[in-house]
């Protein structure tokens, strides 16, 4: 009944998180407290006995593997500089800054302070993945967060074990400490490479018995737990490095049944994540957390309001790709996950068994108050934080990843649109990913696929497949099941245009569009070249005027508001659209088309359309 209760609370947390669009981890924590000694007392340390380490370890193996398996190199490259800084300079600042804060606020010994600092470096896929699932972020932001989570999970776990064994227990620091870190990391990486190599060989050579799809799932699962078990047996906590390495390698090589494997590991992760988080939350010593008092609150404040912002700002400094809103989002979101919770619990048990109850209480109290606070505030309100900062872009969904779809996506992304491409052809999906676009593999005519692509938060959808019947069905699904107004379609056969327009779809007749383009090249070659190179130093954008201080003023009066290098080419009001003169009055809600240099157009758009 205990196991049933844990899974029931975990699954309920998943359902509530999805329903309320809140990261499920906060429900895991609440459910765990309910089941633990602070609640109904169903779960205690005696519930698991000596098996706690094994249960947590193997669960973490699958969870970390799944997170690493989702990290393709093209995604990491989307924010490689920021990611590198987060896992090096950022990790070091977090470790040292946290250790100093713990020492000054609690008066504990330096060795224990650095142990707590090492543990609290880790964020991890257990808390980051639910956030990037709920909060739609641009690829470079989510890549930075996910890469930080995977890598820092590994280094934090190993660093914590080294500090615990080499410094806290032996009370010595020197070359042997660094050697112990390198040894564990090396064992983990080597074990992960061996596991990934064996798995790749078995999958590629089709040497697995029975149904290939089912065998592939369990072979990958065996690779994860096998790599973890072997590495951890050789050197404590090297297993985390092993599964992260295996996951990263297999994520970036060509293996069959990839989609099935991803689906399987995601489902496994959901179950294990719920089980481990609920179980560990139930084991929290609430008295130890409350015992820190004001010092605990101050520690949380320093980590959330000082250390994390410093790390985020240093990691993104000078990177134009990150807007200030995105930098502030990284500053505000750094929740801690499974690694600090599980390792701190195991260390505290060992410290208490050795008679050092005070150190065990400080360790548990400091780690879990940070986990509770960051998960409740930073993870729990991640969507609201993202909305407030404006880092959640409305997306354009393109169904069809062929040449037309990729060309359109390039044009839209040049205008800072957030594009998601949907296609059911694995080969096309791979080409599209290699081109740097976010891809969802699936049938665009199915509501489940469109939902996975984020159509609930989409500003529009474009169907660009080579089959008009499929495009029509895609548009019908988007409009009827999701009530999406802005739906566009490529029409390959001119005779079908009326069918699309009768549904309210904005149809682009491909033969007619080609004829217009050729006519422009013949009669207006300079303008045609200018239009074809949009985004390359110049642009033309239509927006709705939403700046209240501009409404009611003439263009002549707004000379200072219109940046040099751009002009108002057209004003639309109702069914009328015309080229304005200097005395034209602009009203709230007018459709204004700006034409000119890209930077000037972008600045004008920000002034005339500050609100969505």
């Amino acid at each position: 009944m205990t196991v049933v209760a844990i899974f029931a609370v975990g699954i309920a947390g998943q359902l509530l998180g999805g329903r309320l669009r809140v990261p499920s981890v906060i429900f895991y924590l609440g459910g765990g407290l309910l089941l633990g000694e602070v609640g109904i007392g169903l779960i205690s340390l005696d519930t698991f006995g000596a098996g706690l380490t094994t249960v947590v370890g193997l669960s973490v193996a699958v969870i970390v593997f799944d997170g690493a398996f989702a990290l393709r190199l093209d995604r990491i490259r989307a924010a490689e500089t920021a990611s590198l800084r987060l896992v090096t300079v950022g990790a070091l600042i977090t470790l040292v800054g946290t250790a100093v804060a713990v020492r000054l606020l609690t008066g504990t010994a330096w060795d224990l302070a650095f142990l707590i600092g090492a543990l609290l470096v880790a964020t991890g896929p257990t808390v980051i993945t639910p956030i990037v699932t709920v909060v739609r972020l641009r690829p470079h932001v989510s890549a930075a967060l996910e890469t930080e989570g995977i890598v820092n999970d590994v280094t934090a776990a190993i660093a914590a074990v080294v500090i615990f064994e080499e410094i806290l227990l032996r009370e010595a620091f020197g070359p042997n400490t660094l050697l112990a870190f390198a040894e564990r990391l090396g064992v983990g990486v080597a074990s992960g490479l061996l596991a990934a190599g064996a798995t790749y060989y078995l999958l590629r050579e089709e040497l697995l018995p029975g149904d290939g799809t089912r065998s592939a799932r369990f072979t990958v699962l065996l690779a994860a737990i096998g790599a973890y078990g072997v590495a951890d047996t050789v050197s404590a906590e090297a297993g985390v490095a092993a599964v992260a390495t295996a996951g990263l390698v297999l994520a970036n090589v060509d293996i069959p049944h990839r989609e099935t494997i991803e689906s399987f590991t995601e489902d496994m992760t959901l179950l294990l994540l719920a089980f481990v988080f609920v179980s560990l939350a139930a084991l929290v010593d609430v008295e130890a957390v409350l015992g820190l008092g004001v010092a605990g609150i101050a520690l949380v404040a320093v980590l959330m309001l000082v250390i994390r912002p410093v790390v985020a700002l240093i990691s993104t400094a000078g990177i134009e790709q990150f807007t200030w809103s995105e930098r502030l989002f990284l500053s505000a979101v750094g929740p801690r996950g499974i690694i600090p919770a599980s390792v701190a619990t195991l260390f505290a048990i060992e410290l208490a068994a050795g008679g050092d109850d005070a150190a065990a209480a400080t360790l548990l109290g400091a780690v879990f108050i940070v986990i509770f606070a960051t998960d409740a505030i930073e993870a729990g309100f991640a969507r609201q934080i993202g909305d407030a900062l404006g880092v959640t872009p409305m997306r354009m969904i393109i169904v069809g990843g062929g040449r037309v779809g990729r060309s359109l996506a390039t044009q839209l992304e040049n205008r800072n649109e957030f594009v998601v491409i949907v296609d059911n052809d694995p080969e096309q999906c791979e080409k599209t990913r290699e081109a740097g676009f976010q891809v969802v593999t699936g049938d665009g005519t199915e509501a489940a696929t469109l939902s996975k692509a984020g159509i609930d938060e989409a500003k529009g959808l474009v169907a660009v497949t080579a089959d008009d019947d499929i495009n029509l069905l895609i548009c019908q699904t988007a409009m009827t099941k999701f009530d999406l107004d802005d739906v566009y379609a490529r029409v390959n056969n001119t005779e079908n245009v009326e069918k699309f327009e009768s549904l309210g779809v904005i149809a682009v007749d491909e033969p007619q569009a080609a004829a217009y383009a050729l006519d422009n090249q013949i009669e207006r070659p300079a303008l045609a070249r200018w239009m074809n190179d949009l985004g390359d130093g110049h642009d033309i954008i239509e927006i709705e005027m939403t700046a209240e201080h501009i409404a009611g003023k003439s263009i002549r009066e707004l000379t200072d508001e219109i940046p040099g290098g751009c002009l108002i080419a057209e004003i639309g009001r109702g069914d009328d659209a015309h080229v304005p003169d200097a005395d034209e009055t602009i009203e709230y809600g007018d459709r204004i088309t700006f034409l000119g240099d890209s930077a000037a157009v972008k600045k004008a758009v920000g002034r005339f359309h500050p609100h969505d």
Side-chain angles (χ1 to χ4, degrees), residues 28 82 136 185 194 340 344 441 453 498 530 556 582:
Y28 298 156
R136 308 292 185 178
L185 185 61
L194 286 173
T441 304
E498 189 175 341
W530 195 92
R556 192 187 306 278

Side-chain angles (χ1 to χ4, degrees), residues 168-524:
L168 199 64
L169 298 186
R170 301 177 189 175
E171 298 182 352
F173 177 81
N176 288 338
T177 303
L178 300 178
L179 184 63
F181 181 89
E183 177 215 333
R184 284 172 166 81
L185 185 61
V187 168
V189 171
S191 300
L193 289 173
L194 286 173
T199 304
Y200 176 78
Y201 178 75
L202 290 172
L203 292 175
R204 291 292 298 172
E205 298 300 321
E206 299 183 352
L207 299 177
L208 301 174
D211 177 40
T213 301
R214 179 178 296 177
S215 297
R217 295 173 183 170
F218 289 106
T219 299
V220 170
L221 178 62
L222 177 61
I225 61 176
Y228 179 89
V230 170
D232 217 54
T233 300
V234 175
S235 194
E237 293 304 321
V240 179
V243 290
T245 301
L248 282 169
V249 171
L250 291 174
N252 292 284
V253 295
D254 184 20
I255 57 174
H257 313 297
R258 177 178 296 279
E259 299 296 331
T260 302
I261 292 169
E262 285 180 349
S263 177
F264 176 68
T265 57
E266 284 175 7
D267 291 341
M268 286 289 294
T269 295
L270 289 178
L271 283 174
L272 294 173
L273 184 59
F275 186 86
V276 176
F277 238 125
V278 171
S279 301
L280 290 175
L283 299 178
V284 172
D285 186 346
V286 177
E287 290 184 3
V289 175
L290 296 177
L292 289 177
V294 176
I297 297 173
L299 175 62
V300 169
V302 169
L303 282 171
M304 293 176 59
L305 302 178
V306 179
I307 296 176
R308 181 63 186 182
V310 168
V311 167
L313 294 177
I314 289 176
S315 298
T316 56
I319 305 176
E320 295 182 4
Q321 190 179 27
F322 285 85
T323 66
W324 272 105
S325 292
E326 290 167 345
R327 292 173 185 175
L328 291 175
F329 183 79
L330 285 177
S331 300
V333 176
R336 273 55 174 187
I338 283 288
I339 291 293
S342 59
V343 178
T345 300
L346 300 177
F347 285 171
I349 293 172
E350 191 167 343
L351 286 171
D356 198 345
D357 292 331
T362 301
L363 173 63
L364 280 180
V367 169
F368 273 97
I369 195 172
V370 171
I371 291 174
F372 279 125
T374 56
D375 287 354
I377 299 172
E378 297 182 340
F381 292 96
R383 182 168 62 87
Q384 288 78 4
I385 294 170
D387 291 342
L389 293 173
V391 299
T392 310
M394 295 291 285
R395 55 186 53 198
M396 285 294 296
I397 297 175
I398 299 175
V399 183
R403 286 178 296 177
V404 175
R406 292 197 296 271
S407 296
L408 176 60
T410 300
Q411 294 287 343
L412 292 174
E413 287 205 340
N414 284 341
R415 293 188 179 87
N416 292 321
E417 296 282 359
F418 183 26
V419 179
V420 177
I421 297 179
V422 176
D423 203 294
N424 61 356
D425 183 342
E427 186 175 341
Q428 288 285 18
C429 288
E430 189 62 29
K431 288 181 181 178
T432 306
R433 285 194 185 94
E434 289 174 356
F437 298 111
Q438 183 167 336
V439 181
V440 171
T441 304
D443 187 347
T445 65
E446 295 180 356
T449 300
L450 295 181
S451 182
K452 186 177 180 181
I455 195 170
D456 290 327
E457 297 175 342
K459 63 190 295 186
L461 176 143
V462 191
V464 294
T465 75
D467 189 315
D468 285 351
D469 290 334
I470 291 176
N471 287 342
L472 190 63
L473 184 54
I474 291 166
C475 295
Q476 286 176 322
T477 303
M479 298 178 79
T480 58
K481 294 193 175 182
F482 297 98
D483 199 26
L484 190 64
D485 294 327
D486 295 329
V487 178
Y488 309 82
R490 164 194 180 187
V491 182
N492 303 277
N493 187 339
T494 303
E495 297 176 357
N496 293 328
V497 170
E498 189 175 341
K499 295 179 182 178
F500 285 87
E501 291 181 341
S502 66
L503 288 175
V505 176
I506 301 171
V508 176
D509 181 350
E510 187 168 41
Q512 191 66 52
Y516 283 142
L518 289 170
D519 180 53
N520 283 330
Q521 291 287 356
I522 295 168
E523 299 295 336
R524 294 165 288 276

Side-chain angles (χ1 to χ4, degrees), residues 69-86:
F69 192 62
L71 270 184
R72 307 291 291 270
L73 287 179
D74 56 343
R75 294 196 64 205
I76 297 174
R77 281 194 291 267
E80 56 186 349
T81 303
S83 299
L84 181 61
R85 291 178 186 173
L86 283 169

Side-chain angles (χ1 to χ4, degrees), residues 584-608:
E584 176 92 25
T585 299
I586 296 178
E587 302 295 343
Y588 195 93
D590 283 351
R591 300 186 311 280
I592 301 178
T593 301
F594 290 102
L595 178 149
D597 297 336
S598 295
V601 169
K602 185 176 181 180
K603 188 178 294 184
V605 168
R607 292 175 180 175
F608 282 71

